[in-house]
Amino acid sequence: MTTKDDEFEVIELSMLDKRKFYPLSGLGSFTVHSMLYPLVLLRIRLQLQEGAHLYTGLAHATSCILREEGFRGLYSGYFVKSAQIISSVFYASTYETVRHMSSGIPGLSQTQRSFIGGGVASMLLQTVLVPVDVISQHLMVLSRNSSISPCSSSATQSIAPSVKLKAKSSGQSVMTDVRLEQVRALSPIRLSASELSTSWARFRAVTSYVAHKHGIRGFYNGYVISLFTFVPSSAMWWGFYDKFCRLIASTVSKLDDTLFASNATNSSGSPLVPRLAIQLIAAPLAGVASAALVNPIDCVRVRMQVGNLSFRETTRILWAKEGIRWFAKGLSARLLQTSVFSFWLILIYEPVKLFCLKNEYRGQFRNPAGEW
């Protein structure tokens, strides 16, 4: 399980059958992104709202969306994000390639190689992902419900944020209309009823608005801030993941030696904790650690891309209206999303790598009992 220098052994790109690895890793990443997309939408809405005038927290946001927009409301803008299946393959291949190439640099540890690979992969990927993020973030708040006319900016301002849901069905309908208009007001784009009617119509309307209002630069609004968000986030995630794997494997190895030093109970050679279990523990820990560190800058990124504001103006508004709460805005959704995403990603990604191992390397990752 570990090498002589007590490092958790990693499956390198050169060990893989790439004809299997690239399509399977892309499909696995797409599956995980699809499962966890609602958490992304919840995080974006929580980060965009001012204070807590729409949703008081993650649970409240979830219940409101399900009640007022239905289950499909949790997947608003999903079909744009689903284009990331191609980028997922590119990300995985870039990470593995850079990590493998950096092995030729003397003095780099596995953790440092993982850190570099994750950072470079994310940096190159942002050129593709920023336009997708700009469009999808607008779609996440532009409700699919077409029975309600979109509000104008003046109408939105006249709506008291403290309006309560009423018990009667008529009152609930009015409040639903009010909240949906408030949610739409999180985006500066105003769409007609026909433009709100279908996913394709909303996509065309948002794309047309951004192109006419801001030109090609509008699709790359927040590009620099995206680099400062996702590059360190990706680098830290892979660095933390590798570090946690090594720490857990080392702890398990010492515990294994202690428990079985004086008897032959573990003579089969089976590890106390399987390799995949170590990785599944390390991944959420890495996700939580990296997410907590980048959440404040990610909140700035979302506000910049949706509101088309400058970095200085965005930070000024956030500090003036949110204060210290800015640093935790949307954090609960982000921590949940990242930890669950990390778990499921590794649950798919690492077995895919094992499955794609070339025959000559398969024995290297089996224990004496013949298990992975």
Side-chain angles (χ1 to χ4, degrees):
M1 182 180 297
T2 57
T3 60
K4 291 181 180 180
D5 59 353
D6 203 31
E7 288 193 343
F8 189 79
E9 197 164 12
V10 176
I11 299 175
E12 304 287 355
L13 183 64
S14 59
M15 303 177 181
L16 301 174
D17 182 344
K18 299 173 186 61
R19 293 172 299 177
K20 296 179 182 178
F21 173 68
Y22 289 142
L24 288 177
S25 63
L27 180 60
S29 179
F30 174 74
T31 302
V32 175
H33 277 92
S34 299
M35 290 170 53
L36 301 181
Y37 180 82
L39 290 175
V40 178
L41 181 140
L42 290 166
R43 172 174 60 82
I44 295 298
R45 290 197 180 185
L46 289 171
Q47 288 179 331
L48 285 175
Q49 70 172 352
E50 293 182 2
H53 79 279
L54 280 176
Y55 309 115
T56 58
L58 181 62
H60 182 237
T62 305
S63 63
C64 285
I65 293 172
L66 288 174
R67 181 174 62 251
E68 298 164 2
E69 302 173 47
F71 181 77
R72 293 178 64 192
L74 292 173
Y75 279 86
S76 294
Y78 166 75
F79 84 101
V80 176
K81 275 283 192 179
S82 64
Q84 289 185 346
I85 184 171
I86 299 175
S87 62
S88 298
V89 176
F90 176 76
Y91 177 85
S93 61
T94 303
Y95 165 75
E96 294 291 351
T97 300
V98 172
R99 192 183 186 285
H100 175 68
M101 292 175 62
S102 63
S103 62
I105 302 176
L108 282 183
S109 66
Q110 283 192 170
T111 300
Q112 291 169 331
R113 289 168 56 203
S114 297
F115 183 91
I116 294 171
V120 172
S122 181
M123 180 175 63
L124 296 178
L125 193 63
Q126 292 313 305
T127 303
V128 177
L129 290 189
V130 169
V132 173
D133 282 339
V134 168
I135 296 172
S136 65
Q137 284 164 177
H138 283 290
L139 295 176
M140 287 179 190
V141 297
L142 292 171
S143 170
R144 67 176 63 246
N145 192 326
S146 61
S147 63
I148 306 166
S149 299
C151 63
S152 63
S153 57
S154 59
T156 302
Q157 293 172 357
S158 66
I159 298 172
S162 60
V163 176
K164 304 294 183 180
L165 286 174
K166 298 181 180 180
K168 296 181 180 180
S169 59
S170 60
Q172 289 177 336
S173 177
V174 170
M175 187 53 210
T176 295
D177 293 2
V178 169
R179 193 193 302 278
L180 288 177
E181 289 183 351
Q182 289 178 315
V183 170
R184 290 175 188 164
L186 296 175
S187 168
I189 302 176
R190 300 293 175 259
L191 303 183
S192 65
S194 61
E195 290 172 329
L196 286 165
S197 59
T198 65
S199 296
W200 176 245
R202 289 196 304 278
F203 170 74
R204 288 179 57 190
V206 169
T207 304
S208 177
Y209 173 89
V210 174
H212 284 87
K213 183 77 173 178
H214 308 291
I216 190 66
R217 293 181 60 184
F219 293 102
Y220 282 91
N221 183 39
Y223 177 73
V224 175
I225 195 69
S226 291
L227 292 179
F228 279 95
T229 301
F230 292 112
V231 172
S233 175
S234 177
M236 286 189 292
W237 191 95
W238 285 106
F240 280 134
Y241 172 65
D242 186 85
K243 188 69 174 179
F244 283 132
C245 281
R246 291 173 56 201
L247 288 173
I248 296 170
S250 176
T251 302
V252 169
S253 179
K254 292 176 182 178
L255 183 60
D256 199 359
D257 292 342
T258 301
L259 291 175
F260 303 111
S262 59
N263 58 67
T265 306
N266 199 34
S267 58
S268 64
S270 298
L272 187 64
V273 179
R275 173 187 175 86
L276 182 59
I278 292 174
Q279 293 167 323
L280 291 177
I281 296 171
L285 293 176
V288 168
S290 59
L293 291 173
V294 302
N295 188 71
I297 195 70
D298 184 57
C299 187
V300 175
R301 176 191 66 84
V302 171
R303 292 287 187 101
M304 286 179 63
Q305 290 182 328
V306 174
N308 198 45
L309 301 172
S310 67
F311 176 80
R312 179 178 295 181
E313 181 68 9
T314 303
T315 53
R316 185 191 66 79
I317 293 173
L318 275 169
W319 184 253
K321 295 189 175 182
E322 305 292 344
I324 196 68
R325 292 179 302 175
W326 158 22
F327 295 92
K329 198 165 186 64
L331 181 60
S332 58
R334 185 175 185 85
L335 291 179
L336 180 60
Q337 172 213 338
T338 307
S339 58
V340 175
F341 172 80
S342 299
F343 178 89
W344 281 100
L345 177 67
I346 293 303
L347 184 61
I348 294 175
Y349 186 69
E350 293 294 350
V352 163
K353 290 178 74 175
L354 284 171
F355 177 77
C356 297
L357 272 173
K358 296 176 181 177
N359 291 331
E360 59 265 34
Y361 295 106
R362 289 187 173 274
Q364 187 173 335
F365 293 90
R366 291 181 184 271
N367 58 47
E371 301 170 344
W372 295 109

